[in-house]
Amino acid sequence: MTVTETTETTGAGADTCAGPPQGNRRPDGADTYTISEVVALTGLTAHTLRWYERIGLMPHIDRSHTGQRRYSNRDLDWLALVGKLRLTGMPVADMVRYAELVRSGDHTYTERFELLRQTREDVLSRIAELQGTLAVLDRKLSFYADAGRALASERT
């Protein structure tokens, strides 16, 4: 694992993933989680976690001597980032591409920047669209509130 990947997936240094750690996490060094514990901590299904690994969205997941997946705090941080990227509406193919770029090292900063910049533009566009929708709803609510008051005053 490169310093870049460690920084991006642990939130160490200046480049944080998705905010402060959440949940009942173990201290680094004692941070070994089973897939069922990760399911409980993240709300993702075991199927989704396995799928993320299969498509290359997750970095290599360590295994116990019996072959069971063992996740770390670093993996939880990465899953938190993936969750945020999902909320942006970023396509899975772009998330996989981003993961590949992170694993490739520092020389991919420009590509990562551009991918995240475009995603940010898409989010801003969606926010503007939702603000317009909210304005329409507010006007309709105001109309019905006024109409309701008018009907109530006619009855009294």
Side-chain angles (χ1 to χ4, degrees), residues 122-138:
D122 294 345
V123 168
L124 289 172
S125 177
R126 286 183 39 225
I127 289 171
E129 183 179 359
L130 286 171
Q131 286 173 329
T133 302
L134 183 59
V136 169
L137 289 172
D138 287 345

Side-chain angles (χ1 to χ4, degrees), residues 22-91:
Q22 298 179 354
N24 297 324
R25 293 168 47 137
R26 298 178 183 126
D28 289 339
D31 58 331
T32 302
Y33 304 91
T34 64
I35 198 166
S36 60
E37 290 172 318
V38 173
V39 164
L41 286 167
T42 65
L44 297 170
T45 66
H47 175 78
T48 298
L49 292 168
R50 289 184 198 104
W51 181 64
Y52 282 0
E53 188 177 356
R54 191 170 50 254
I55 66 172
L57 187 53
M58 284 293 298
H60 170 76
I61 303 299
D62 289 333
R63 303 272 181 149
S64 71
H65 68 283
T66 61
Q68 292 180 313
R69 287 171 176 83
R70 293 292 183 224
Y71 295 84
S72 67
N73 286 336
R74 180 192 74 232
D75 299 322
L76 295 178
D77 291 340
W78 182 257
L79 288 169
L81 175 63
V82 168
K84 296 298 184 191
L85 294 177
R86 285 180 57 223
L87 287 174
T88 70
M90 180 186 273

Side-chain angles (χ1 to χ4, degrees), residues 101-120:
L101 291 169
V102 168
R103 286 190 292 271
S104 293
D106 293 352
H107 67 280
T108 65
Y109 274 7
T110 302
E111 290 175 84
R112 287 186 251 173
F113 176 87
E114 183 55 33
L115 187 58
L116 294 177
R117 188 202 57 75
Q118 182 57 54
T119 300
R120 184 179 190 280

